[in-house]
Amino acid sequence: MSFDQLASELQVRKAASLYRGRKVLQSPQQPEVVVDGKAYLAFCSNDYLGLANHPAIVSAFKQAADEYGVGGGASSLVSGHSFHHHALEEELAAFTGRPRALLFSNGYMANLGTVNALLGKQDAVFQDRLNHASLLDAGLLSGARFQRYLHNDVDSLTQRLSKTQARRSLVVTDGVFSMDGDIADLPAICDVANHHKAWVMVDDAHGIGCLGKTGAGCAEHFGLSEQQLPILMGTLGKAFGTSGAFVAGSDVLIETLIQHARTYIYTTSMPPAVAAATRVSLKLVQTEQWRREQLTSLIQRFRRGCEQLGLSLMDSPTPIQPIMIGNADKAMAMSAALRDKGLFITAIRPPTVPHGSARLRVTLSASHTEVQVDRLLDALDQVK
Ligand SMILES: *Cc1c(COP(=O)(O)O)cnc(C)c1O
């Protein structure tokens, strides 16, 4: 069998401006990056708090590598659960105000493992239609009856919940929507879910670190307890600047995941030095409030500037500030024109976002300066 058919499918994708490629980063993740040998000012990483290259985190990583080596060596259930994994889990539980937390190697695996440990064929899963791909995949794999509700629409969710006959129901939503930047209406979602005896799971990949007084994410932002919001998932590769993910909740939830989450059981634990580095990152997230304040002020500056330029922004109070373009060709052309001006911003196209809603996904970081945001606004003015 030859690959001719695949080759022609790739051609079709190229012709539609939907082809994906990688650019090679030759510097740490920071505002000023080197990509394919050229210097750029970047506005597209999820390093929201500017911690991915923080010296204290880098140094904790090195020191733990000296003490514990590099590889996790085995599954957490065999011999891969090290001192730093255990300590980080306890610290994440305290941080989120939940009884327990469990570490996963990444957010995709945390979502797949959690939904599949909780649901089977007799159950139902209710998902916002703009949920992250890993949540949609998790729901499909579980075999539970899969229902999507309109984006952030509590009436649409209520209608579906009130009709279900399932043994168990799970409502799943992004806390901050990854491609739009808006925040889920969690108080109302949790209310209606509790009323219908459904569990709620929030994927707070983009809220953790950024929202809430101490950075504990959308649960802290809205003041939602473990009873109201029983399954809280966060990732460590974005605002935390390291790698991995966790689920926080009750003792019974965490013990169930340890017994049944296949992406926890059948995989090697994260490198212990990553856990050690994340412990330092967590301290910075909790104590350096100025990073969230700096972000808030950059977000306001950017939004004011875009308004003056007549650019169409989305209704987002978070560091995710997409500029809606619509057409994939046009989004690609704008991204290329910005690159010519020394700015690195990727175009996000279908199927990552719905058809006709290609966009430039601008993300801000506490490590950006006002001068850099003004440079971005100038460049946008020239290419718009
Ligand atoms: C990035 C992301 C994930 C995946 O997390 P990784 O740790 O990168 O695998 C899951 N959910 C959402 C909403 C995300 O944005």
Side-chain angles (χ1 to χ4, degrees), residues 49-334:
L49 297 182
L51 296 178
N53 190 32
H54 190 289
I57 300 173
V58 174
S59 133
F61 182 79
K62 286 181 184 162
Q63 199 188 328
D66 283 338
E67 277 180 51
Y68 287 85
V70 177
S75 159
S76 304
L77 296 190
V78 179
S79 64
H81 185 62
S82 82
F83 170 79
H84 284 298
H85 294 119
H86 201 73
L88 177 58
E89 286 181 349
E90 288 179 343
E91 289 159 6
L92 286 168
F95 173 57
T96 53
R98 267 55 183 164
R100 300 271 305 270
L102 185 71
L103 280 178
F104 284 82
S105 294
N106 57 56
Y108 199 114
M109 289 168 71
N111 285 340
L112 231 58
T114 303
V115 172
N116 283 277
L118 299 176
L119 301 183
K121 287 196 171 46
Q122 302 127 287
D123 305 321
V125 62
F126 300 83
Q127 301 222 15
D128 188 292
R129 59 182 293 273
L130 296 189
N131 273 356
H132 190 261
S134 57
L135 291 173
L136 302 175
D137 292 356
L140 292 172
L141 183 66
S142 72
R145 173 130 200 258
F146 192 99
Q147 304 198 48
R148 289 199 191 193
Y149 58 89
L150 297 177
H151 177 52
N152 217 355
D153 185 328
V154 179
D155 291 338
S156 164
L157 170 61
T158 308
Q159 269 176 23
R160 287 162 176 73
L161 275 174
S162 56
K163 284 190 205 133
T164 186
Q165 307 275 323
R167 176 186 65 165
R168 299 173 183 159
S169 297
L170 174 68
V171 177
V172 185
T173 181
D174 281 22
V176 171
F177 289 89
S178 55
M179 296 300 135
D180 295 55
D182 55 336
I183 304 176
D185 185 3
L186 289 177
I189 292 172
C190 293
D191 251 12
V192 63
N194 291 342
H195 181 75
H196 287 92
K197 305 207 174 352
W199 290 319
V200 182
M201 171 173 174
V202 168
D203 172 343
D204 207 19
H206 299 276
I208 206 92
C210 296
L211 296 178
K213 191 155 178 338
T214 67
C218 56
E220 184 181 33
H221 174 77
F222 288 119
L224 294 166
S225 66
E226 188 268 321
Q227 282 72 31
Q228 294 164 296
L229 202 187
I231 309 164
L232 179 59
M233 176 274 194
T235 66
L236 305 171
K238 288 165 181 154
F240 273 71
T242 61
S243 179
F246 67 90
V247 172
S250 69
D251 191 49
V252 172
L253 172 71
I254 299 305
E255 286 299 318
T256 299
L257 297 182
I258 294 173
Q259 310 309 313
H260 298 297
R262 294 166 66 86
T263 58
Y264 182 74
I265 301 166
Y266 298 107
T267 194
T268 302
S269 64
M270 72 162 57
V274 171
T278 307
R279 296 179 65 198
V280 173
S281 172
L282 173 58
K283 284 216 178 69
L284 296 172
V285 166
Q286 289 179 280
T287 55
E288 298 199 340
Q289 176 63 24
W290 67 264
R291 293 180 188 274
R292 283 179 285 280
E293 285 161 9
Q294 164 78 353
L295 257 181
T296 304
S297 114
L298 294 177
I299 293 166
Q300 283 165 359
R301 191 180 188 87
F302 178 71
R303 289 187 70 87
R304 263 199 315 273
C306 283
E307 233 165 77
Q308 280 161 12
L309 297 178
L311 288 167
S312 144
L313 284 178
M314 307 188 67
D315 185 18
S316 161
T318 67
I320 303 170
Q321 290 293 329
I323 300 169
M324 183 56 80
I325 308 295
N327 175 293
D329 283 322
K330 195 165 165 221
M332 289 299 276
M334 268 182 85

